[in-house]
Amino acid sequence: MPEGDTVWRTAQRLHAALSGQPATLVDIRWGELGEDPLRDAGIDEVVPRGKHLLHRFDSGWTLHTHLRMEGSWRVEAAGSEAAARGLRRPDLRAAIGNAAWTTLGLRLGELNLVRRSDEHLLVGHLGPDVLGTDWDPGLVARHIVGSSTRTSIAAALLDQRVLAGVGTFWASEVLFAQRLHPWREAAGLSPEQVDTLVARVHELMVRGREHAIQSSTGIVRADARSWVHGRSGRPCRRCGQTVRVAPLGRRGADRVFFYCPGCQGGLAPTDDGRPQAPLGARRRARP
Ligand SMILES: [Zn+2]
């Protein structure tokens, strides 16, 4: 799932392609939603807000999109074969373009049109954006410490009201970096632990946004991009114990979290410790 660093890079590319130009192509394919508020308008800017994207048009309207699980925005040269192919795709949800560029919103998870003055209705609930100008580590620390009892630190990091932009990749990686047990109660951390955790997630994601491929190790090779995320069943790069995966909420919850029991203080409450095969191992084992 795209996280704040990916969305930040996407916004940069869209902004470079679209800002300051009239949008000569506006094609919204989202239910009954019409393009009228955007027609013949120019684009002032494209900005990220956590995992949300805002195209701000000079007509006073904002196109709000969210990539959710597998959405993306592509930028193609206007009139190119790649742009034409993209415009024919059945999973195209929005196309915005000008004389030079065609941008294609594919498999988007969410799309809304609102007046700019009403953007808060869509993004006003978000906490400080890890990569935004509103980043406020003190406020995020207070949000974490103030989490309701039994909220795990992993769940607090993923709660976009606490801070915006973190997904399971960066949450797993930063808790590993800080040797914190993901299921530990957020409100029970010491002020020093919270402050260093908040500073570290910011540092990791600021560094991460410089790279097109998400990596916490600085290596972009597919099998070396993370310390624990996606590495269950494989040895921890730090202590050698087997990295594990467990549901984040109740047993059977759809969100899972990766961690090292050796480095992070033991098994998850829902983890029975049974051996876990490496992700994809079965597929690779087939002839
Ligand atoms: Zn370890």
Side-chain angles (χ1 to χ4, degrees):
M1 186 189 216
E3 303 186 21
D5 51 328
T6 303
V7 173
W8 186 91
R9 290 180 62 86
T10 300
Q12 293 278 307
R13 286 189 297 115
L14 291 172
H15 182 81
L18 299 173
S19 65
Q21 308 281 334
T24 50
L25 166 69
V26 177
D27 184 353
I28 306 290
R29 301 181 188 176
W30 194 269
E32 301 290 294
L33 215 57
E35 294 100 354
D36 284 351
L38 312 182
R39 214 179 286 287
D40 300 321
I43 294 180
D44 288 335
E45 56 183 353
V46 182
V47 294
R49 187 75 183 86
K51 300 190 209 170
H52 302 249
L53 280 162
L54 304 170
H55 288 64
R56 291 177 172 151
F57 286 74
D58 61 13
S59 57
W61 286 81
T62 296
L63 170 69
H64 161 262
T65 58
H66 195 296
L67 305 178
R68 294 280 171 225
M69 293 308 284
E70 49 186 12
S72 65
W73 276 96
R74 286 198 195 164
V75 179
E76 306 288 359
S80 66
E81 179 50 37
R85 247 195 333 266
L87 290 169
R88 290 194 297 269
R89 283 178 60 149
D91 55 1
L92 180 71
R93 296 291 169 260
I96 311 288
N98 54 34
W101 301 105
T102 298
T103 68
L104 305 157
L106 301 164
R107 298 187 303 277
L108 300 175
E110 200 181 328
L111 187 151
N112 293 286
L113 272 181
V114 288
R115 291 198 176 276
R116 200 183 291 193
S117 54
D118 287 336
E119 284 178 2
H120 64 279
L121 299 174
L122 297 164
V123 295
H125 64 289
L126 298 174
D129 185 344
V130 183
L131 300 177
T133 51
D134 64 322
W135 176 241
D136 181 345
L139 179 57
V140 173
R142 288 197 293 282
H143 284 169
I144 290 175
V145 172
S147 297
S148 56
T149 47
R150 293 196 304 185
T151 298
S152 66
I153 182 60
L157 286 177
L158 293 172
D159 184 340
Q160 302 298 299
R161 296 168 301 180
V162 171
L163 74 172
V166 177
T168 51
F169 180 89
W170 289 113
S172 299
E173 295 297 288
V174 74
L175 290 178
F176 174 82
Q178 298 307 107
R179 295 179 182 268
L180 287 170
H181 194 266
W183 285 266
R184 195 170 155 185
E185 196 175 276
L189 297 180
S190 72
E192 293 73 27
Q193 283 175 318
V194 173
D195 287 345
T196 51
L197 175 66
V198 171
R200 195 67 183 270
V201 74
H202 181 248
E203 177 197 323
L204 287 177
M205 288 185 70
V206 165
R207 207 187 300 157
R209 74 179 167 188
E210 302 305 324
H211 307 287
I213 293 172
Q214 201 171 41
S215 167
S216 60
T217 57
I219 304 168
V220 296
R221 210 177 62 229
D223 61 349
R225 286 174 199 160
S226 67
W227 293 93
V228 288
H229 188 80
R231 297 197 66 248
S232 52
R234 297 197 161 87
C236 171
R237 302 184 197 284
R238 195 156 64 189
C239 76
Q241 274 204 38
T242 306
V243 174
R244 298 190 60 83
V245 61
L248 190 54
R250 299 170 310 281
R251 193 183 284 272
D254 54 356
R255 274 200 310 194
V256 296
F257 211 82
F258 297 89
Y259 70 107
C260 171
C263 293
Q264 294 175 265
L267 291 172
T270 55
D271 192 340
D272 56 16
R274 271 189 287 198
Q276 295 178 339
L279 289 181
R282 220 166 299 154
R283 201 173 39 222
R284 267 206 298 278
R286 278 198 199 126

